[in-house]
Each structure stands twice: as structure tokens, then as C-alpha cells.
Amino acid sequence: MATYETDAIVLRAIRYSEADSVLTLYTRDRGRASAIAKGARRPRSRLGGRLQPGTCSRVTLAEGRGELATVRGVSSLQPNAGLWTESGRLRAAGHVLEAALRTLPDGDPNEPAYHLLGNALGLIAREPPSEGPPRLDPLVLGVHVKLLVVAGLLPVLGSCAHCGAGPPLPAFSAAAGGALCGECAGGADPLTLAAHAALAGLIGRPLGEAREVCPPHAAAGVERVVGLVLREHLGVILRSAAAPASPRGPSETFDSGH
Ligand SMILES: [Zn+2]
């Protein structure tokens, strides 16, 4: 069986049989890939602890007959241990991993996406958790907006997507391709000035500045725009956006395996 080494971020770990985990990885060299980690759920496994969702590792993968590779070796690159010290951070990371799972296609290498995820998870693990709900953490929203950029789904925001007029642009329609002027707004969703400015900042500024460019009163509007774009182009509704009132954590997506 052919083996290869690559840097990988664990997006998801699903329990498989008594002792194994099936992982969804985002690899630097091959994009999204699935792999089985045999024995990873045994208490003394050397694999298990290094393959939690949200960690970055150098992995050796053996290609199988089907789509599922087998993990042969792993060395930790960025354990992001801070994710497990605070539940808000863990939930924020879960929202990042869910968006990556649902927007990045299988087997399509995208180095900017890999670096974006690694950077985001590192920041979430290091920084103090945000005050509000983790799904509205500017770091989470920043990753969601930047994933739209790397996935080629960025809407038009600088001028009216329908007629080209300049600001003010008080509405947004994913079907029309972006922000809309008052004349073209029709029944489109409202877009506040604050959300518009925050979107521009999250796109244009480094992720580390997300909290400066996306104040709390802009967050829900940014989340709404991201949700509209994902639904229009990918048919995806993120769990966080679909059920904002639910206290349920991202347990299914972000199975810690404990
Ligand atoms: Zn217009």
C-alpha cells in the first residue's frame, strides 16, 4: 500500500467499533481526506490524544482500496491544548470545524484554506474566549467569511450587485450576488451599516484583528450574510445558524472521543 506524509488538521472524529476512530482530515497536500485511526480509542493509544478534532499534526497515511486511508503515524505540530481548558473555546472551534467540513470539498488541496484553519484554531486556543455566544465570536465569523473567500463564494459588497450603484447599500441578497442599493432592494434582507463595515473588515484584515473590526452589534448581521451565501451556493445550513437558541454543543461534529 502506498503511504504518504502530510500536515493535517483533524476536522472530525467519529467512533468506529470498540477501539477505532474514523477521522475527517483537512490535509495541506490533498485537501479533505478520510482516514481510520486503528486503536485510537484505547486508553494508552499514542494516536488518540494527537488526533483530537482541532489539532494539527504531521500524519503518515496508507492509502487503501477505497476512499478510507489508514493512519500509520502521527506527530503533533500544533496541539491547541487551550481548546480543552474552556468550553466557549471548544464550541467556537466546533463552529470553525463544522464550516470547514461543509464548505471545503473532498480531495481538493487548498493551501490558503489549510493555513486559515490552522491560524484560526491557534488563535481560538490562545485568546481569551469572547463574551457572547461562541457562534458569534468574531474569530468564528472571520473564519466563516474568509472561507467564503477561499471557496470563491465572496459576494459583491462594494457596490450594488444588481445595478452597480455605490453606497448606501441597505440590503443583501445572495441570489442577486451581494449587497443592494435602496432602489434594487425589493424584498431582500436588510444589511446594517455595522454589518457591512464588519464584513469588509473581516475580509480585508488579518484574522487576528477580527475582534477589532467586528463589534458585538455587527455580529448577527455578519452571521446572517454568511448563512444566506452558504444556503444559496452550497445548499448548506450551518448547525449553529440553523438553531441559534439551542444549548446543544457541537458534540456530533466535534466529538472529543472521551
Ligand atoms: Zn441597485
Side-chain angles (χ1 to χ4, degrees):
M1 258 194 296
T3 64
Y4 64 98
E5 278 195 22
T6 181
D7 297 347
I9 293 164
V10 182
L11 299 181
R12 178 169 63 183
I14 294 175
R15 290 164 199 209
Y16 183 79
S17 78
E18 199 58 14
D20 307 339
S21 290
V22 171
L23 309 173
T24 305
L25 304 171
Y26 198 73
T27 69
R28 185 201 290 257
D29 301 327
R30 306 199 179 194
R32 204 174 73 176
S34 299
I36 187 164
K38 290 186 177 155
R41 293 172 37 70
R42 291 202 185 99
R44 292 192 191 176
S45 165
R46 284 176 300 149
L47 292 181
R50 296 173 189 166
L51 293 170
Q52 300 288 338
T55 58
C56 305
S57 296
R58 181 99 181 140
V59 293
T60 305
L61 299 175
E63 288 178 312
R65 284 198 205 101
E67 292 187 351
L68 200 61
T70 301
V71 179
R72 292 278 188 243
V74 54
S75 60
S76 191
L77 294 174
Q78 188 185 319
N80 294 330
L83 297 181
W84 287 273
T85 63
E86 209 283 330
S87 69
R89 284 182 181 156
L90 194 61
R91 288 173 60 202
H95 294 315
V96 166
L97 298 177
E98 186 204 356
L101 264 172
R102 310 216 31 206
T103 57
L104 298 169
D106 250 340
D108 179 20
N110 186 328
E111 191 141 346
Y114 177 84
H115 288 297
L116 172 63
L117 292 176
N119 185 20
L121 294 164
L123 283 168
I124 291 169
R126 280 195 306 275
E127 295 214 349
S130 73
E131 303 267 311
R135 70 188 170 86
L136 296 179
D137 184 328
L139 285 170
V140 171
L141 295 173
V143 178
H144 287 186
V145 169
K146 287 179 185 296
L147 277 171
L148 297 184
V149 177
V150 298
L153 299 175
L154 187 65
V156 174
L157 293 168
S159 58
C160 175
H162 186 67
C163 75
L169 302 166
F172 183 88
S173 162
L180 295 169
C181 72
E183 300 259 310
C184 300
D189 273 60
L191 177 64
T192 64
L193 268 177
H196 194 185
L199 282 163
L202 292 172
I203 292 163
R205 308 296 305 167
L207 191 62
E209 296 174 23
R211 289 187 179 157
E212 288 148 50
V213 300
C214 185
H217 66 279
V222 172
E223 182 192 43
R224 176 83 184 141
V225 165
V226 170
L228 290 169
V229 172
L230 291 178
R231 194 177 66 188
E232 175 71 22
H233 293 288
L234 301 177
V236 162
I237 298 174
L238 295 180
R239 192 193 321 258
S240 55
S246 167
R248 180 178 57 171
S251 54
E252 188 189 320
T253 305
F254 201 70
D255 182 4
S256 69
H258 290 299

